[in-house]
Amino acid sequence: MSVSEPVAVAQVNELEPESAIRIPADRCGATEDIALVRAEDGTFYAISDLCTHAEVSLSEGFVEGSLIECPGHGSQFCLRNGHPQMPPANVPVRTYPVEVRGDQVWLTPVPNPVEP
Ligand code: FES
């Protein structure tokens, strides 16, 4: 599997709005586990599963609007650009391209450039 090609990682109906699942790296070709997130409005996002503050899985966090809250110490990350919105995390998480094709969600396992 090429690491730059989109990979089908989930069925659309696997995730309710405001929920997340962990996609293991070896299932999608990324260099890290990914949190696949469905926001309140139904939009899908993909970010690094690992919080940038400590080793906590963001896919076990809480989705609110277009943010995900780390279950470790409560930092919230923007799902669009990965930037933390409140401490203690102060480093963005990587984001990944994701798109819906029919009833499947496709992830490109190459991170987006970091937005300033
Ligand atoms: S581990 Fe995520 S905020 Fe501390």
Side-chain angles (χ1 to χ4, degrees):
M1 173 170 62
S2 165
V3 294
S4 61
E5 295 297 317
V7 180
V9 291
Q11 297 287 322
V12 167
N13 62 10
E14 274 181 63
L15 283 90
E16 296 292 328
E18 296 196 298
S19 69
I21 57 173
R22 187 170 61 85
I23 308 293
D26 62 6
R27 218 181 105 199
C28 65
T31 58
E32 60 182 345
D33 292 350
I34 303 293
L36 181 68
V37 184
R38 193 170 192 186
E40 186 178 26
D41 66 358
T43 306
F44 284 89
Y45 297 94
I47 61 172
S48 309
D49 189 47
L50 201 59
C51 183
T52 55
H53 177 241
E55 295 208 3
V56 171
S57 175
L58 291 174
S59 58
E60 293 174 15
F62 314 100
V63 184
E64 288 183 32
S66 59
L67 301 172
I68 190 163
E69 181 177 316
C70 177
H73 309 98
S75 282
Q76 291 183 328
F77 294 89
C78 174
L79 292 168
R80 296 190 185 95
N81 61 24
H83 283 276
Q85 306 298 299
M86 65 172 64
N90 57 15
V91 174
V93 290
R94 281 178 284 278
T95 66
Y96 291 79
V98 64
E99 64 181 300
V100 173
R101 296 183 196 166
D103 60 357
Q104 292 190 311
V105 186
W106 291 71
L107 167 78
T108 301
V110 178
N112 293 313
V114 178
E115 288 181 22

